[in-house]
Amino acid sequence: MRRKLAAGNWKMNGTAASLSEVEALAKAHPAPKSEVLICPPATLVAQMAWKAKGGPVRVGGQDCHAKVSGAHTGDISAAMLKDAGASHVILGHSERRADHGETDAEVRAKAEAALAAGLVAVICLGETEAERDAGKTLGIIGSQLAGSVPEGAAAANTVIAYEPVWAIGTGRTPTLEQISEVHDFLRAELAKRFADSDGFRLLYGGSVKPSNAAEIFATSNVDGALVGGASLKAADFGAILAALDAA
Ligand code: 13P
């Protein structure tokens, strides 16, 4: 049985005042069936981890460097995130692939660093609208999966998030058939490489909100969500978590 995962990605949003949302979420959902993760900006990881201690919410980073330490101004290592109280790190988000030119090889190197530091890597994949329109979705997803997920990955240390680029922050979502087509494909591809492929959690991300969460969570091979905008408010993220617990 795969434990479901509701993951929030705050992106470049939030200041110390936003930590009250995490307290409100933990108060409203003290013992959810699903695992709950929030990935705030790096400035809030330590404070959030401190506030969340002993509760249901786990805390993650949004990126890490592939090296353990060194002359890399502005970067943060996986070991530093772990030291700050993080348990997970999002890697290869399409915004980092687009804004910072991250390649599959770089994402894979970062994932290796995350696993070495004892973090769970949440590795993101997804096609652009042009790629989908050209019928290339599964080809793109397959090559991102092959290139970004390291050999050391296993169900216990790696989560895969399918986030179609055109569905992120747009209010548009794929049809349930399109989601299950990709998630079933991911499951089959993982089975070619990993003995415990059945245990990997596969998250859907892109415009998940309280009103569409239940139907998405009823889709085959969807084990949770990676939520952007709707994770910023405890009420919305809590509603998504409740839908996941009920699925
Ligand atoms: P939205 O939920 O705001 O569409 O963002 C999805 C996402 O990119 C999560 O990583």
Side-chain angles (χ1 to χ4, degrees), residues 7-11 90 93-95 122 124 161 163-173 204-209 225-232 240:
N9 174 9
W10 280 13
K11 308 189 179 184
I90 296 171
H93 191 282
S94 64
E95 287 151 15
V122 180
C124 304
E163 300 203 306
V165 177
W166 51 274
I168 294 175
T170 60
R172 296 168 58 204
T173 50
Y204 168 77
S207 297
V208 176
K209 46 191 185 245
L226 182 54
V227 183
S231 72
L232 295 170
I240 291 169

Side-chain angles (χ1 to χ4, degrees), residues 18 23 69 74 90 107 115 126 134 141 197 205 215 221 224 231:
S18 321
E23 289 173 310
S69 63
I90 296 171
V107 174
L115 304 190
I141 298 296
S197 59
E215 60 177 19
N221 276 314
S231 72

Side-chain angles (χ1 to χ4, degrees), residues 18-227:
S18 321
L19 296 171
S20 62
E21 297 296 331
V22 179
E23 289 173 310
L25 181 71
K27 199 166 169 213
H29 302 272
K33 269 202 306 191
S34 307
E35 193 172 7
V36 189
L37 169 69
I38 295 183
C39 301
T43 47
L44 291 180
V45 167
Q47 284 183 80
M48 189 181 286
W50 182 253
K51 278 224 171 7
K53 222 180 179 130
V57 178
R58 317 198 63 197
V59 178
Q62 298 176 8
D63 176 49
C64 70
H65 197 276
K67 298 252 168 64
V68 174
S69 63
H72 301 286
T73 302
D75 281 312
I76 294 172
S77 74
M80 290 169 179
L81 285 173
K82 178 86 177 173
D83 180 57
S87 53
H88 294 63
V89 60
I90 296 171
L91 295 170
H93 191 282
S94 64
E95 287 151 15
R96 292 209 57 89
R97 291 178 188 261
D99 296 353
H100 301 271
E102 285 189 11
T103 62
D104 288 334
E106 282 162 347
V107 174
R108 185 189 189 108
K110 290 177 177 206
E112 280 165 358
L115 304 190
L119 295 175
V120 174
V122 180
I123 300 175
C124 304
L125 323 160
E127 83 286 2
T128 63
E129 186 157 34
E131 288 163 347
R132 177 163 283 278
D133 289 347
K136 293 182 180 160
T137 298
L138 295 185
I140 293 289
I141 298 296
S143 70
Q144 288 179 343
L145 186 78
S148 307
V149 179
E151 287 315 315
N157 63 24
T158 303
V159 173
I160 308 295
Y162 168 54
E163 300 203 306
V165 177
W166 51 274
I168 294 175
T170 60
R172 296 168 58 204
T173 50
T175 64
L176 301 179
E177 289 71 28
Q178 288 171 328
I179 294 175
S180 65
E181 180 189 33
V182 172
H183 281 234
D184 292 351
F185 173 75
L186 285 170
R187 182 76 60 209
E189 290 297 296
L190 287 170
K192 294 178 186 167
R193 280 180 65 193
F194 300 103
D196 62 351
S197 59
D198 255 358
F200 279 65
R201 271 91 54 86
L202 305 180
L203 309 184
Y204 168 77
S207 297
V208 176
K209 46 191 185 245
S211 59
N212 63 16
E215 60 177 19
I216 290 172
F217 295 149
T219 304
S220 80
N221 276 314
V222 174
D223 304 306
L226 182 54
V227 183

